[in-house]
Amino acid sequence: MAFLNPLFLIPATTGPIFIILGFLISNFPPKKINSIIGYRTSSSMKSQDQWNFAQIYSAKEMIKFGSLLTFCSLIHLVLEIKEGLGVAIGLGLMILMIALIIIRTEKAIKLKFKND
C-alpha cells in the first residue's frame, strides 16, 4: 500500500504537527522566558524582547516548513522507493526542516537584535 510507505507517513504526520504547533505558539506564545515551553535557545532567552520576537518568528517558520514537509509527502506518488530508503529520506526531510527553522530563526534574531 502506497500510504504505508515511510516516505509518505513521516512527512504527512510531522508536517501537520509542525503546522498545529506553529498556530498554537503564534496564537498563544509563552509570555515569560522559561526553559519548558517555546522556542528556547540562548539567543532567544537573552531578553524579553528577543523571547517575544523568537516565539512569533519561529511559529511562522514552523507553519511554513510544516506545510512544505506535508507537501513533500507526495513524493511517494511520483517515485517508487524501497522502504528503508523511504525511512531515510523521510527522516532526512524532517531533520532538514527542523534545522531550517532553527537556522532561519537564529539569523532573524541576530539581524533584529544586532546591537544586543
Side-chain angles (χ1 to χ4, degrees):
M1 296 183 111
F3 294 108
L4 295 179
N5 186 324
L7 186 54
F8 172 76
L9 286 176
I10 295 169
T13 54
T14 56
I17 290 171
F18 283 14
I19 295 168
I20 291 167
L21 288 175
F23 277 117
L24 286 173
I25 292 173
S26 67
N27 290 319
F28 307 103
K31 301 293 183 215
K32 295 181 182 177
I33 298 172
N34 68 77
S35 59
I36 300 172
I37 294 175
Y39 181 83
R40 301 173 317 272
T41 62
S42 59
S43 62
S44 69
M45 298 171 80
K46 279 185 181 175
S47 71
Q48 189 64 44
D49 287 338
Q50 285 179 242
W51 175 262
N52 294 337
F53 173 78
Q55 302 314 305
I56 300 303
Y57 191 89
S58 66
K60 290 177 184 175
E61 292 296 299
M62 286 179 78
I63 294 167
K64 183 188 325 179
F65 286 109
S67 300
L68 181 60
L69 192 56
T70 303
F71 180 74
C72 286
S73 69
L74 301 176
I75 292 172
H76 87 284
L77 296 174
V78 179
L79 302 175
E80 188 72 32
I81 295 177
K82 294 184 180 184
E83 188 173 334
L85 184 57
V87 170
I89 294 172
L91 289 175
L93 284 170
M94 181 182 69
I95 292 167
L96 175 66
M97 297 304 161
I98 292 169
L100 288 172
I101 291 167
I102 294 169
I103 291 167
R104 291 175 56 90
T105 303
E106 291 299 309
K107 185 176 178 180
I109 291 170
K110 286 179 186 172
L111 285 174
K112 183 159 176 72
F113 300 97
K114 54 185 153 193
N115 295 330
D116 292 345

